[in-house]
Each structure stands twice: as C-alpha cells, then as structure tokens.
Amino acid sequence: MVLRSFILQPNLTHLLPTCKFCVKPSFQHSQQKEFSLKISRRVGVLAAMASLILGGEGIFSSQSAYASEFAFMAPDLTVEEAQNGAKVHAQDLLQVRELLGAESWKAAQRALRQSSALLRKDLYAIIQSKPGSERPQLRNLFSILFNNVSRLDYAARDKDVPEIWRRYENIVVAVNDILSIL
C-alpha cells in the first residue's frame, strides 16, 4: 500500500539519486568537467531485483542462517567458567542489599542491571549445557529470578520500599535454589 502510493506520486525528482563526478585532467588543472548521472525508478527497481535474484543464494542461504543462529545460542563460555561466574555474579546481585538499605536507588538499579546481565549470560550457558530432563526446572527458576529482578528495578525506580524488599527476598530464594542445583 505504501509502495503503491510512493510509485504513483507524480513528481519524484527530489528522490532520484544524482551522482556528480569532477574530473581533473593532468594537463589542465584549471578546467573541470562535471558529469551528472540520473537513475530512473525503473532502472533502480530492476537493479535491486536483479541483485536479489542473482545474489539471493548468498542472502537467503540456510547454511549461514544456521551458523549465525548457533553462534548466538552458544556463548563463548565453558561450563566451568559459567558456573564460577554464576556464583560470583549471584553474590554481586545479592550485594545490592547494601545499596537498597541506604536508599541509593539509582546506584542500586545500576548494580542490579550490571550483575543481573552477567548472571543471565552465565545461567543461560549452564542451562544449555544440561541434559534435556534437567532444563525445565532451571528454566523455571531462571524465569522467577529475572522476573523478580525486573520488578525490583521498577520498584526501585518508583521508590516503593515494601515492594523492593519483597522482590529482594524472592531474588534471594531464587538465587539459593539455583546455586543448590548447580
């Protein structure tokens, strides 16, 4: 619909690309020639379609899509590194209590976001390394933990003290449950 109205507009001279080249011959530096190249819509569309047709194999190749998907899914961590990192980042996440107690909301939010992002990466690597039968329980705890982290972040933004402490206690329980399984 948008494309049709774009094509049917009567005056599109402002959208046509114009390329200008200045050529300076080596024997005359004072004389400049100016070339102007205008490409019509039809030629532009045909060129775009031809590049998609001819280069479509490389663009829509399923082999490269699987490769990039796998690279996204498989973090650069070994299981041992992820487990050690998860323990450290879980302790960092629990250290947010000091900032919450001091009612330093912005600093608590920054520390919460930083430690939770690192913990999320570590836990994801650990969950992917586990056999299929152990994953649902870890995914459930993962979900509980990071839902409470998000809600704690919102509560800190709103300075809702009872909600902050309730979410923090839920985080402590979830972290302890996850670390007991690892």
Side-chain angles (χ1 to χ4, degrees):
M1 196 67 155
V2 174
L3 183 60
R4 174 172 282 187
S5 64
F6 179 75
I7 292 173
L8 295 178
Q9 289 180 354
N11 187 6
L12 293 175
T13 58
H14 64 282
L15 294 177
L16 294 175
T18 301
C19 303
K20 293 185 179 184
F21 303 97
C22 292
V23 177
K24 293 183 180 179
S26 60
F27 58 90
Q28 288 183 344
H29 293 289
S30 63
Q31 188 180 24
Q32 291 184 356
K33 292 184 180 179
E34 189 174 293
F35 297 104
S36 180
L37 174 66
K38 288 195 174 187
I39 300 172
S40 69
R41 274 187 308 212
R42 183 174 294 151
V43 171
V45 169
L46 288 174
M49 290 178 63
S51 65
L52 278 176
I53 291 170
L54 296 174
E57 184 177 312
I59 295 171
F60 301 112
S61 173
S62 61
Q63 185 178 15
S64 64
Y66 291 139
S68 63
E69 183 178 327
F70 180 71
F72 177 71
M73 296 301 224
D76 296 334
L77 297 173
T78 64
V79 178
E80 294 80 22
E81 290 173 341
Q83 286 177 343
N84 293 335
K87 291 174 184 173
V88 170
H89 298 126
Q91 291 305 317
D92 291 344
L93 183 64
L94 297 179
Q95 294 295 326
V96 174
R97 180 184 180 100
E98 297 169 6
L99 296 170
L100 294 173
E103 295 185 1
S104 171
W105 307 123
K106 293 289 183 185
Q109 284 179 300
R110 278 192 300 272
L112 181 72
R113 290 173 186 160
Q114 182 179 8
S115 60
S116 68
L118 296 171
L119 181 61
R120 182 184 306 258
K121 182 180 177 184
D122 293 333
L123 289 178
Y124 187 80
I126 292 169
I127 290 172
Q128 291 301 315
S129 69
K130 295 288 184 182
S133 61
E134 295 177 21
R135 288 184 189 176
Q137 181 185 10
L138 283 171
R139 285 184 183 149
N140 186 27
L141 292 171
F142 181 89
S143 175
I144 290 170
L145 173 65
F146 290 106
N147 284 338
N148 280 300
V149 166
S150 295
R151 290 182 181 133
L152 175 61
D153 190 11
Y154 286 122
R157 182 192 65 187
D158 296 338
K159 300 174 186 167
D160 185 2
V161 177
E163 182 72 13
I164 288 171
W165 291 112
R166 184 166 27 130
R167 296 301 172 187
Y168 180 79
E169 292 303 321
N170 291 344
I171 290 171
V172 170
V173 170
V175 165
N176 289 334
D177 289 344
I178 290 173
L179 291 179
S180 68
I181 293 174
L182 301 181

